[in-house]
Amino acid sequence: MALTQHHFSLNTLQWITVSLGESTGEPGSVGWEFDLSTFLPKQPVILGQVAEAGYSSVMLEVLPTQTLQNYARVVADSGLRLSPGYVHIGLPEEFDRDHAGDPEAHFRWFDAIRRRAEETTYMGLDRVFLAADMAPGRPRIDDAAAIGYAFDRARLDRVANVIGEAAEVLKAEGVTAALHNHVGTWVETEEEYEYVLDAISPSLLAAGPDIGHLAWTGADVVEWVAAHADRISDLHVKDMDLSIAAEARATHTPYFDVMSRRFFLEPGLGDVPIVDALAGLPEDFDGSVIIEVDKPSMEPFASAKASWAWIAENYPEAAR
């Protein structure tokens, strides 16, 4: 079965990153609204606009300010289906926490993973994107993005171990983890992504790539998807100006400096060969293709509609 419009979903980042272009990169200045109680009344309005734009599915995102029951009601009222959500895990030592000899602290490090497993299964899903954490203050955010800056093999081994443990926690709850690459994290480049995937059994960890972030690092995303098609459970797609990406890699540019430019674009407006890459997925692919515009090039609702117009132009409706 080739891809149809039914496979596509939307991450609602358009509505919460509109001020990122003015960000300094400092915590609290990035325009990230999900954590604020003031976002609660906006959520049903946004989901209504997602449906109005043409989507039948939206990425799972339970707000930290709401209960599962409330989220389920909001989603039901919108008429949308849900696609897999996202969770990240960091290294304890990077948060000044030494878990050596403290099994309780080590166990609790994965509490957020368990909560996301609970949200996932409560909403009837069984997959989730799993990534290394990303935060301002890291060298790949503040110094140089998308080039594997400050690479350290021992640290990457630690990251792989922690991701493997998180995947085991998720599996115990009936949820399959799909490894997600992201510029700014310790799993950033194609080589780092491959390394972690190779370190963990496919029976425990699927691949859940962001082909836009891979393209940002200079990877050939058409070849990558074709080579890993059988391991991909779901994926994120985005478009971007790859000339800006190449320039930024050459000059060691901080993450938010790249983001402040007209870099992220709606599908079809940039240079990422999205259609060609997705053509490498198996004929029987039954996962979600999540459109993610990290920073919209237009007003958020217009961005969602433009993204859906690209889907409608390139993919047929599902057979009834």
Side-chain angles (χ1 to χ4, degrees), residues 58 82 99 110 173 184 223 304:
V58 69
L82 288 173
H99 293 173
F110 298 94
E173 300 296 332
E223 289 187 1

Side-chain angles (χ1 to χ4, degrees), residues 46-264:
I46 289 170
L47 294 187
Q49 291 183 333
V50 171
E52 186 178 344
Y55 294 86
S56 61
S57 176
V58 69
M59 192 181 90
L60 184 151
E61 185 67 61
V62 182
L63 304 178
T65 52
Q66 73 185 150
T67 65
L68 285 169
Q69 292 88 342
N70 176 264
Y71 181 67
R73 286 194 298 269
V74 172
V75 172
D77 289 345
S78 74
L80 294 166
R81 296 178 291 108
L82 288 173
S83 57
Y86 176 99
V87 67
H88 59 81
I89 188 74
L91 297 176
E93 57 266 32
E94 294 192 326
F95 294 83
D96 295 323
R97 299 185 184 182
D98 183 0
H99 293 173
D102 190 343
E104 178 66 18
H106 185 74
F107 180 89
R108 296 300 300 275
W109 188 247
F110 298 94
D111 281 353
I113 301 294
R114 294 184 187 89
R115 293 290 78 77
R116 187 47 56 105
E118 179 183 36
E119 295 166 1
T120 299
T121 56
Y122 185 90
M123 299 306 300
L125 300 177
D126 61 2
R127 301 185 308 278
V128 68
F129 292 95
L130 174 63
D133 78 312
M134 174 184 171
R138 305 287 175 80
R140 293 184 178 184
I141 300 293
D142 291 357
D143 298 319
I147 62 170
Y149 186 72
F151 175 80
D152 182 278
R153 178 57 56 82
R155 181 182 56 227
L156 186 58
D157 283 334
R158 282 279 296 124
V159 170
N161 286 338
V162 170
I163 285 176
E165 287 187 82
E168 290 174 346
V169 170
L170 289 163
K171 185 175 183 179
E173 300 296 332
V175 177
T176 297
L179 182 64
H180 193 67
N181 61 294
H182 202 292
V183 169
T185 74
W186 299 130
V187 184
E188 178 178 71
T189 65
E190 180 179 6
E191 293 74 20
E192 290 165 343
Y193 196 21
E194 299 272 6
Y195 187 86
V196 178
L197 284 172
D198 289 345
I200 301 171
S201 170
S203 65
L204 181 63
L205 186 69
D210 184 312
I211 63 172
H213 278 268
L214 274 175
W216 186 354
T217 69
D220 184 325
V221 297
V222 176
E223 289 187 1
W224 199 95
V225 171
H228 299 82
D230 291 341
R231 193 165 178 177
I232 295 172
S233 65
D234 305 273
L235 66 169
H236 285 191
V237 300
K238 57 172 56 68
D239 217 340
M240 55 185 59
D241 185 329
L242 292 183
S243 66
I244 293 177
E247 176 189 325
R249 291 196 304 272
T251 56
H252 286 205
T253 307
Y255 188 100
F256 287 109
D257 286 3
V258 181
M259 200 167 190
S260 68
R261 303 175 66 178
R262 193 174 184 272
F263 175 59
F264 290 112

